Amino acid sequence: MPSPDFTDPATVDAATLRDLLTTGGDLRVLDVRTPGEFEAAHIPGAYNVPLDLLREHRAELRAHLDDQVVLVCRSGARATQAGQTLAEVGLPNVRVLDGGMLAWQHTDAPVNRGRSRWDLERQVRLVAGIIVLSSVLGSLLLPGLQWVAALTGAGLTVAALTNTCAMGMLLAKLPYNRGAASCDLTTIVGQLRETEARR
C-alpha cells in the first residue's frame, strides 16, 4: 500500500489509519479530548494532548512533532480546531481522523478502554438543556428569567458558527473530565521524547 500524502486532503479515514498503525510508520496519534474521555476509550498508542493544552503550548509541542500526525477527538470537530492551531505554527503532515473515535469504534478497530464517562459534547447538551428548561420553567415565577434561556441559545448558535464552545471549555476543566493520569506539558513532552528515543 503506498504511503499517503499527508498534505492534502486534511483527513484520514479510520480504515486507512488502522492500516498505517499496523505497518508501523513514523506516525503519531494525538487525542485532543479531555483526559477523562481519553481514559474511557482511546486508540492504542495515542497521546492525550487536550485541546486547551495544545492551544496554549503549540510552539513547544511543535518542536516534538516532526513526524506525520493524526489528530483525534470524538467526532472530528475538536481535532479540526487542533489542526488549525498546529498549522499556525507551521507543522506539516497533519491529518484529522474523519469521524473521530465514533468512526474508529464503528470499524471495530482496537480500543483501550477504562472507566466509562460521558463525552464532552453530551455533557454540553445536558448542561444547556438544564439551563434552558429551568429558565423557562423558572420564568413562570420570576418573569424575565426566560432571557437566560435566550442567552444560552445565542451562545450555542455562536458556538456552532465559530466551531468553538465556551461551555465545553469550562466543562473540560471540571475534575470529572480531568482523569486520573497527569496530563500536563512536561508529561506529554516526556512521552514524545521517550518514543523518539526508541525509534
Side-chain angles (χ1 to χ4, degrees):
M1 180 171 141
S3 179
D5 176 13
F6 270 70
T7 57
D8 188 62
T11 61
V12 62
D13 63 61
T16 303
L17 176 58
R18 190 173 179 177
D19 290 343
L20 289 169
L21 290 172
T22 56
T23 59
D26 288 339
L27 175 70
R28 294 188 195 247
V29 177
L30 302 185
D31 191 318
V32 300
R33 296 175 300 153
T34 66
E37 289 175 294
F38 182 80
E39 282 180 7
H42 64 269
I43 297 171
Y47 300 89
N48 186 211
V49 186
L51 181 58
D52 58 344
L53 188 136
L54 184 140
R55 283 181 172 151
E56 185 178 344
H57 298 287
R58 59 183 156 236
E60 296 96 321
L61 290 167
R62 164 66 177 96
H64 302 281
L65 296 172
D66 290 332
D67 301 320
Q68 299 176 26
V69 174
V70 175
L71 299 166
V72 179
C73 66
R74 178 180 179 270
S75 62
R78 283 179 276 174
T80 299
Q81 293 174 39
Q84 293 164 349
T85 298
L86 291 174
E88 291 172 7
V89 291
L91 183 67
N93 305 325
V94 176
R95 285 255 180 123
V96 171
L97 175 59
D98 190 24
M101 281 299 293
L102 295 175
W104 180 262
Q105 291 171 314
H106 185 69
T107 65
D108 292 325
V111 174
N112 288 347
R113 294 192 184 278
R115 188 178 123 212
S116 180
R117 296 173 191 254
W118 281 20
D119 293 317
L120 193 59
E121 287 88 350
R122 186 176 181 189
Q123 294 174 48
V124 168
R125 291 192 302 266
L126 174 69
V127 172
I130 288 171
I131 291 171
V132 170
L133 182 60
S134 59
S135 299
V136 170
L137 293 176
S139 69
L140 299 173
L141 298 173
L142 294 169
L145 203 54
Q146 73 273 11
W147 291 108
V148 174
L151 287 174
T152 302
L156 292 172
T157 302
V158 169
L161 293 173
T162 62
N163 200 23
T164 61
C165 185
M167 187 183 297
M169 295 293 202
L170 290 173
L171 290 173
K173 296 183 184 312
L174 293 176
Y176 176 82
N177 290 313
R178 291 264 174 217
S182 176
C183 192
D184 56 32
L185 180 65
T186 305
T187 303
I188 293 165
V189 168
Q191 292 170 347
L192 293 170
R193 283 183 179 157
E194 193 176 293
T195 305
E196 265 176 26
R198 287 197 305 258
R199 288 181 175 169

